[in-house]
Amino acid sequence: QVQPVQSGAEVKKPGSSVKVSCQASGDSFTDSFNDFSISWVRQAPGQGLEWMGRIIPIVGRVQYADDFRGRVTFTADMSTSTVYLEVSGLRSADTAVYYCARGGGSNGYYFDSWGQGTLVTVSS
Amino acid sequence: SYVLTQPPSVSVAPGKTATITCGGDKIGSTSVHWYQQKPGQAPVLVIYFDTDRPSGIPERLSGSKSGNTATLTISRVEAGDEADYYCQVWDMISDYRVFGGGTKLTVL
C-alpha cells in the first residue's frame, strides 16, 4: 500500500528544535497529496496516540490541537508534495514517535494512510 | 475536551470472538473509526464510518455502534490479531480528531 515517507530518527538536546518531513510516494498518491489534509500524531513511549493537528496544503489551512499550539508549526511544500512538522523548545516529554497521516473522507475524518513514523529523542 | 473510553486490555483464546468497546457521550452523533497497531509499526485503518472496511481488511473484523458505545468485533481470532486497537472520532464542536486510549488485545 502506498504510504507517506517520513524522515529519519533524530536525537536532540533540550531547548532545541526539530523538523520532521513527510513526503508522498507513488505517482497517484503524489498527484493528490496536496489536496488532502495531513495530520500529525504523537505517540510517546508505551503510550497512546495523540492528534497534534493538521494542514491542508492546497488551501494553506493549518489547525493545531490545544495541547500543541504555540510550540509546533506545520508547513508544506506543494512542489515536492512534502509537509513538515517543527517542534521548538524541546523537552524530554517530547520524546516520541511522530506520525504523519493522510485524512480520509471529505473532511479528513479518519486516517487512511500513515507514514512509518519518526522517532525523536530529547536527551542531554 | 472530548473523551473516548476503551478498556486497557482484552484477552481471548484463538478461534474465539473478541469485542473491544469505545464509549463517549457524543458517539451517537458522530462516526467512529478503528485502527490496529502492531508493535513497532504504524497504525492501520481497519474500520471507518462505524462499519466500513478498507480493502484488504478481513471480514472477520467488523464495527458496530449502539447508543454511545462503538464496538470492534474480531471473529475467529488469530495470533496475528494481537495488537493495540484505537478508536477515533471527529469532534464536530472543536473540529478536532480524538483518539481513545487504546486497547491491548492479547491472544491466549
Side-chain angles (χ1 to χ4, degrees), chain B residues 47-67:
Chain B
I47 296 289
Y48 63 105
F49 290 145
D50 299 335
T51 59
D52 293 343
R53 262 187 315 275
S55 61
I57 301 302
E59 292 184 7
R60 300 184 299 104
L61 279 69
S62 63
S64 62
K65 193 171 70 177
S66 177

Side-chain angles (χ1 to χ4, degrees), chain B residues 35-46:
Chain B
Y35 303 86
Q36 176 193 71
Q37 185 182 32
K38 296 183 178 179
Q41 298 184 19
V44 173
L45 179 70
V46 294

Side-chain angles (χ1 to χ4, degrees), chain A residues 41 43 47-51 54 61 63-66 69 99 107-112 114-116, chain B residues 33 35 37 40-45 48-49 84 86 88-90 94-101:
Chain A
V41 176
Q43 187 170 37
Q47 302 301 309
L49 304 172
E50 290 181 272
W51 184 73
R54 66 179 184 146
R61 183 185 174 199
Q63 181 183 13
Y64 299 105
D66 285 344
R69 189 176 296 113
Y99 293 100
N107 191 30
Y109 298 112
Y110 55 88
F111 310 114
D112 61 3
W114 294 65
Q116 82 276 21
Chain B
H33 320 290
Y35 303 86
Q37 185 182 32
Q41 298 184 19
V44 173
L45 179 70
Y48 63 105
F49 290 145
D84 294 325
Y86 294 90
Q88 177 253 314
V89 303
W90 169 63
S94 64
D95 197 26
Y96 286 2
R97 283 73 182 149
V98 180
F99 288 98

Side-chain angles (χ1 to χ4, degrees), chain A:
Chain A
Q1 181 180 352
V2 178
Q3 65 177 139
V5 177
Q6 297 184 223
S7 49
E10 303 261 13
V11 179
K12 293 292 184 178
K13 300 286 189 188
S16 66
S17 298
V18 67
K19 194 168 186 177
V20 178
S21 68
C22 167
Q23 185 173 33
S25 68
D27 289 343
S28 61
F29 194 67
T30 300
D31 288 345
S32 63
F33 191 73
N34 294 326
D35 299 340
F36 289 88
S37 68
I38 305 296
S39 284
W40 289 96
V41 176
R42 185 174 81 173
Q43 187 170 37
Q47 302 301 309
L49 304 172
E50 290 181 272
W51 184 73
M52 302 174 68
R54 66 179 184 146
I55 183 169
I56 308 174
I58 199 167
V59 296
R61 183 185 174 199
V62 179
Q63 181 183 13
Y64 299 105
D66 285 344
D67 288 350
F68 298 95
R69 189 176 296 113
R71 279 202 313 125
V72 304
T73 304
F74 306 145
T75 55
D77 180 346
M78 291 179 61
S79 67
T80 61
S81 297
T82 304
V83 298
Y84 298 92
L85 160 69
E86 184 167 18
V87 184
S88 60
L90 287 166
R91 44 206 187 210
S92 59
D94 293 318
T95 294
V97 176
Y98 293 83
Y99 293 100
C100 64
R102 189 181 76 169
S106 61
N107 191 30
Y109 298 112
Y110 55 88
F111 310 114
D112 61 3
S113 183
W114 294 65
Q116 82 276 21
T118 298
L119 174 61
V120 175
T121 303
V122 182
S123 174
S124 55

